[in-house]
Each structure stands twice: as structure tokens, then as C-alpha cells.
Amino acid sequence: MTYSPKLIDHYENPRNIGSLDKNDEGVGTGLVGAPACGDVMKLQIKVGADGLIEDAKFKTFGCGSAIASSSLVTEWVKGKTIDEAETIKNTDIAKHLALPPVKIHCSVLAEDAIKAAIADYRAKSAKKDEPVSEGEQVAVPAK
Amino acid sequence: MNAFTQIRRNDQPIYLDYQATTPVDPRVLEAMMPYFTHKFGNAHSRSHSYGWEAEEGVEQARAQVAKLIGADEKEIIYTSGATESNNLAIKGVAEFYKDRRNHIVTTVTEHKCVLDTCRHLEQQGFTVTYLPVQKNGLVDLEQLRAAVTDKTVVVSVMAVNNEIGVIQPLAEIGKICREKGAFFHTDAAQAAGKIPLDVEAMNIDLMSISGHKIYGPKGIGALYVRRRPRVRLVALINGGGQERGFRSGTLPTPLCVGLGEAAEICMKEMDAEAKRLTKLRDRMLKGLQAKLPEIYVNGDLDQRIPGNLNISFAYVEGESLMMGIKGLSVSSGSACTSASLEPSYVLRALGVEEEMAHTSLRIGLGRFTTEQEVDTAVDELVRHVTKLREMSPLWEMAQEGIDIKSIEWAAH
């Protein structure tokens, strides 16, 4: 299969490989895919006090397109709010990397991975916020 | 002519896919060349020396092919390749004997051209038994014996598997077929020229051979059709009645000559080449095992042709590994390299789990593979497997002691 230069660049020089501390309150972790299907993505975001995603890391078991898709989204989410990050579409990923039609599912998985990481972060912060202490300002998600 | 002459140019990747195809040996090419130019005659022309010369070429080659498998030259039919040979053998006998017998036995790990031919015959009303294989890739002889009935016209079991290189117990299968009165066909595309084959000792009635797997040209193959006791076939291609009426059409003289020369070289060099390749394969496997934990050889390592390794590199997906090892040309059992997105049916048939099938590479060593190439390949594989494991969430979990099977994965 022939791949675009952008895809090959992300495969050969993947950005933001690694792991964040999943127990950190500001970290949201998404783990999507299945080993039997040949691709698993772990994507983590760290949300700062200002509500912006200050760091993102990934690890992916999968084909070159899956690695490139997850590498690309870690770049894209950095500096965004979680609401902004949530609007990233698989079609944007597929377009940017010029994914061949049989590899579109890799971009879908990358979108799922961000959504899962965001959901995890939200669940964590909701839990943390449950017993609201008096007088404390609670950050409410925009929606 | 030194057999170890480098065929590839220095800017080409190291070729480790000898089960896919092989380069034409320069000695084979040399034998073919005159038949493209001044010996261009039609081997079927009887009225002049051009025809006689061409006929002499194809008949000499026929004898060379026959000798490789212990057959008589009259029992060799030229075809376009192993796919045609397999089609002709299975469809040919099924059609000819259909009034008496309507059952076919084969295995689930056959090449697609055998499986697809069997599917086609099922649609024509034949019954087909697809035998499973054991964990090591070999057919269970008792299961085979039980499957063959007095309605079985042909048992088709490949000699050597194209993905995992395992050698089926041909003599034992032949014996069972002979006892039960069924014909024994074997697809020997990956076996001929690599392991000793003897149609008499193994009771083989039909055998398919491919030119381009044995350092001969593409577009030529052969089918061995036993004469005593006689095996009869309905032809697929009708016409001038060439090749005993089994396969009409003008013979491609240069290709036939190439097949013959290729067969002769394989026969002469088989023992020495098998030893050399076994050494190289062991060197490669030991080299990889020394630096990489959790790699698994798929298929039996002893009952195997010397030039094949099929390895699962756990926690690393095959296609991404192939993208990394740009200096090596190999193939993968991963779904991501196939249009169907299904992992290798051969590995699945061995009971290799899907996640492991996705991590497999087929490494094929051959006549022009050198020790230096093997060492380079080991280095490159080690480097990229290590790099990809560093970025694999599954590897990370395994290192943390998390059982991947304990996680509920969402299939997608």
C-alpha cells in the first residue's frame, strides 16, 4: 500500500509517544479497539487548571495508519479545551493523512480514543466535584 | 556460474519472500534465451527443423521435470502454473469420475486456488470435506482416513504450506488413498525442488508444480498425471489436443525449457542447499530469540522446509512492522495487509489467536540469501520490533502484568 508523506512522517517520527499517570486527577485516559481486530489505541490527555489540554500522549498497537492517526490527534488536541478537542472528526484525520479507503477505520478509532479520554476526564472531575465544599467555585463544562 | 551471485541491485531491499516468488536463476535464463530467438519454432510443427528443435527443447525439459519427482516424462503436462494445475487436477478428475464418485477431501490450510476450486465443485453438486489441521499445521492421519469413503474421488493435500512451510506426511496420505481407492493429488508448488519427492514411493497420482517458485520463469507450471494405474481427466482447455489432450495450446517453449532447467538445478543442489538454508534459518531464529522475548514460530519447526520462518512478534502489528523494516521484503499474516481485513486463515486454522495472527511475518529464505543479509535482517527486525513495542499499549500492559485477555475489548 502506498501512503502519503504526512502519514509516513507520523509513522516514522511519532509525536507524543508515552504514558501519563492515569491516577492523576487532571488526566483522562481512553483505551479503544481490540487486539483481535489488530488495533488498540491508548490516548491520554492532561487538562490544566485553565481548562486547556496541556499534554497528550499515546500508545498504539496497530498498522501504520493507526499509529499515524493517533500521533496526529495528540498534536491536534494540545492547547485546545476539551470541548474543542471533542469536535475533531475522523474525516479531518483521514483527509489530513490521505488515508486509503480500507484504512478509514483507523481515523474512526482515533476519534473514539479522544472521545474516550475526554469522557474519562469528565467522569473523574465529576466524581471529584460531587461533595462540593461550601464557597468553592465549581467549574461547569460549557455545555 | 556461482549460485550465490547477488541478484538484487544494491539499492533494492533484501528479498526475504521466497515463498511468494523467486528470481529466475541466471543459469535458467541462459538456457531459455536461444528459444526466444533462433530456436523460436512451434514445438508442434512437424514439417521442419524449427519445430523439431523446439520440440527437442520441451521434451528434454519434460524429462528434467519428471526426474525431479521420480515420474516418467510421459506423465508430465505443461500448464501455466500451479493454479491451473490444481484446477485441472481437481476439476478434471471430479468431472471424469462424477458418475461413480462425488466426494472430495482436502484441508482448510490449502492454497486459495484449491479451496476455491473445491467451493466451485460444491456448487456443481460435489461434496467436499475440509479437514482441520493440528496445532503444528499437519493433518491428522486418522481424521483423514476416517474422511475418505468409497465415494471419495480425490484427496487433495498440499505437500508444503505456502505460509508456514510445514511438510505434510505425503507417503502416509498416499498409502491411505491407495487403500481406499481414491486419487491423491498434492499441490507441490512450495515443495518441488526443495524436498525429495517421489510419486511412486508416495503413491501420488497427481502433482502440481510451479515454475516461479523454483527459480524458473513465471507463467509455466506442470501437472504430473499418473499413467499406471491410469488417472483420467476432463480437460479445462480444449483445442488442438496437445499435452495428451489434457491441455491444448501451443507450448511456450522458452518457459518449458526454463522450468526443466530450474528443476534440474534444484535436484542437483537440493541436499547442499537444504543444509545451507537450514543453517541460515537457524541463524536468523537464534539471532531474533537472543534479542527479542515473546516471539513465537507458527507451524512445526521440524517438519518444515528449510527456507521458511513464520513468526509472531507479540504486541507488534505486522503491517506496521513491515512499514518499519523498509530494507527487507517480507510478507505478513496481518489483516491490515489484505483487502479483506481478515488475518491469515492458515494461522487461524492452527489455532493461533487473532491477536497473534496480526503480529506475524513470513520470512522466506532462498538460493540467493546470504549470511550477511540474514544478519542485517535480524538487526533491522530487532530494532523495529523493540521500537514498536515501546509504543504498544499491549506491551505496556504485559510489562505491568496485566492479562490482556482479562480486559473486555469492544470489537469494532
Side-chain angles (χ1 to χ4, degrees), chain A residues 1 3 7 11-12 14 17 19 31 33-40 42 59-64 67 102-103, chain B residues 315-317 319-320 323-324 326 336 341 354-355 358-359 387-388 390-394 396-397 404 409-410 412:
Chain A
M1 221 169 290
Y3 292 120
L7 189 152
Y11 167 78
E12 287 182 346
I17 292 180
S19 296
L31 183 66
C37 303
D39 33 29
V40 173
K42 186 186 80 167
K59 283 201 175 189
T60 290
F61 162 82
C63 61
I67 290 171
V102 296
K103 299 291 183 184
Chain B
Y315 313 114
V316 172
E317 197 277 329
E319 195 223 30
S320 67
M323 256 178 98
K326 280 182 297 192
C336 283
L341 296 183
E354 276 187 77
E355 52 256 53
H358 283 292
T359 71
K387 179 185 165 187
L388 288 165
E390 286 304 313
M391 51 197 285
S392 166
L394 303 179
E396 184 181 59
M397 287 176 201
I404 288 161
W409 300 98
H412 60 281

Side-chain angles (χ1 to χ4, degrees), chain B residues 108-166:
Chain B
V108 292
T109 54
E110 295 298 307
H111 192 273
K112 283 274 165 75
C113 65
V114 167
L115 294 175
D116 200 44
T117 296
C118 289
R119 291 265 180 245
H120 171 83
L121 288 169
E122 276 185 290
Q123 284 165 1
Q124 308 292 309
F126 290 89
T127 311
V128 181
T129 302
Y130 299 91
L131 291 172
V133 294
Q134 305 168 84
K135 218 173 154 42
N136 59 3
L138 300 178
V139 69
D140 180 325
L141 290 167
E142 285 317 304
Q143 271 185 338
L144 184 126
R145 184 189 295 280
V148 183
T149 70
D150 58 0
K151 285 286 169 198
T152 307
V153 58
V154 63
V155 174
S156 181
V157 177
M158 69 200 323
V160 167
N161 184 271
N162 49 307
E163 287 190 34
I164 53 175
V166 299

Side-chain angles (χ1 to χ4, degrees), chain B residues 14 35 75 92 125 227 295 309 313 363:
Chain B
I14 294 172
Y35 294 91
E75 298 173 307
R227 276 168 42 109
I295 65 173
L309 271 180
F313 296 89
I363 301 169

